[in-house]
Amino acid sequence: MRGFGVFCKKEMTELLRTYRVFLLGAVALIFGILSPLIAKLTPWLMEQYADSFREQGIIVGEVTVTAKDSWTQFDKNFFIVLIVGVAIFSGSYVNEYAKGTLIPLVTKGLTRTGVVLSKLLMQLLTWTVYFGVTFGITWGYTAYFWDTSAVKNTLWMALFFWLMGVFLLAALAFFSSFLNSAIQVLLGVGGVYVLLTMLGMIKSIESLLPTYLMSSAALLTGEKTPGDFAAAAGIAGAASVVLAILAVLITRRRRL
């Protein structure tokens, strides 16, 4: 257990030393502000380009922006937030193998299980803070600028978006257990996402797939209820656990 704590501390130090935590913080701030900002500026932008639209025969009426528009923009930005988070961590495991930095730690008593779990734990904590800051800033500015009483289930939407990130980090740990470069790991995780997206075109299984969580913005208008995402959330959670276990089992056999 002591070795596990030491490695967690090492991971946090590595996040700070490589400035990844600051990069994630900057991205969280930018996209947290960007969603309500774009919504707030939309009427002004439409007004600025009204003459240009009119010359093309397009008449733009008065544009009314609500809290829903801010959250809709958040939904559109989330994919980028997710990709940045996964990309930042893509080389976390494989760099350790390439540099041989795990060998002295393992010889001193740190188990390979501890290596995987401590890395995954620190990534999950970082993802939680990173996503929480993005969501919190958007929520704060949206509540400041607009009446949010008509917007429903924002916390449920956030939970499902967060869980999608957890699933992809577990997939990252799995692919990192047997692949040798960050690019390969990213391609593996991306391949899983694309495959699930393609399977989502089959309506009979769409609501069972983890990628279905990406459509949880439909909760905001009441078009869907949290219960509609229960199966996808349960499967995403279970799949995350299975992927983490497989990552541990494969890493135990991997040559350092």
Side-chain angles (χ1 to χ4, degrees), residues 10-243:
K10 172 189 172 297
E11 283 299 296
M12 180 55 67
T13 302
E14 188 72 12
L15 281 171
L16 294 170
R17 187 180 64 82
T18 57
Y19 301 105
R20 283 181 289 175
V21 68
F22 302 110
L23 177 59
L24 287 172
V27 173
L29 287 171
I30 291 170
F31 281 98
I33 295 171
L34 199 60
S35 298
L37 181 62
I38 290 176
K40 189 67 176 176
L41 292 178
T42 296
W44 179 80
L45 290 172
M46 297 301 289
E47 182 181 342
Q48 297 301 307
Y49 289 97
D51 292 339
S52 177
F53 288 140
R54 193 176 298 111
E55 291 174 1
Q56 299 176 38
I58 302 173
I59 305 301
V60 179
E62 183 179 354
V63 179
T64 302
V65 177
T66 66
K68 178 180 174 296
D69 296 293
S70 178
W71 286 114
T72 299
Q73 192 61 48
F74 177 84
D75 173 45
K76 293 177 181 178
N77 292 338
F78 174 71
F79 183 74
I80 302 176
V81 172
L82 184 63
I83 291 301
V84 170
V86 173
I88 288 293
F89 291 121
S90 60
S92 177
Y93 297 86
V94 294
N95 288 341
E96 299 277 10
Y97 302 132
K99 296 176 181 178
T101 53
L102 292 179
I103 296 175
L105 293 172
V106 171
T107 56
K108 291 181 179 179
L110 178 64
T111 65
R112 299 189 184 204
T113 299
V115 170
V116 175
L117 294 183
S118 58
K119 275 188 172 292
L120 187 54
L121 175 62
M122 294 309 299
Q123 289 177 4
L124 290 176
L125 288 175
T126 305
W127 163 247
T128 300
V129 174
Y130 166 56
F131 175 71
V133 169
T134 306
F135 175 80
I137 292 174
T138 299
W139 182 86
Y141 275 105
T142 302
Y144 177 78
F145 286 125
W146 299 283
D147 175 18
T148 60
S149 60
V151 180
K152 306 174 183 179
N153 300 312
T154 52
L155 291 179
W156 279 109
M157 179 192 70
L159 175 63
F160 295 141
F161 277 170
W162 172 82
L163 185 57
M164 186 64 199
V166 172
F167 169 73
L168 290 184
L169 286 178
L172 187 148
F174 168 71
F175 284 108
S176 296
S177 65
F178 60 89
L179 295 177
N180 297 313
S181 74
I183 295 297
Q184 291 175 341
V185 172
L186 274 178
L187 288 174
V189 175
V192 169
Y193 185 88
V194 171
L195 176 61
L196 291 175
T197 300
M198 293 177 65
L199 289 174
M201 297 178 184
I202 304 173
K203 293 299 180 182
S204 59
I205 63 172
E206 178 188 18
S207 63
L208 302 177
L209 303 173
T211 44
Y212 188 63
L213 299 174
M214 296 291 286
S215 63
S216 57
L219 292 168
L220 300 176
T221 58
E223 180 184 343
K224 293 180 181 178
T225 66
D228 293 329
F229 295 90
I235 290 173
S240 299
V241 173
V242 170
L243 288 168

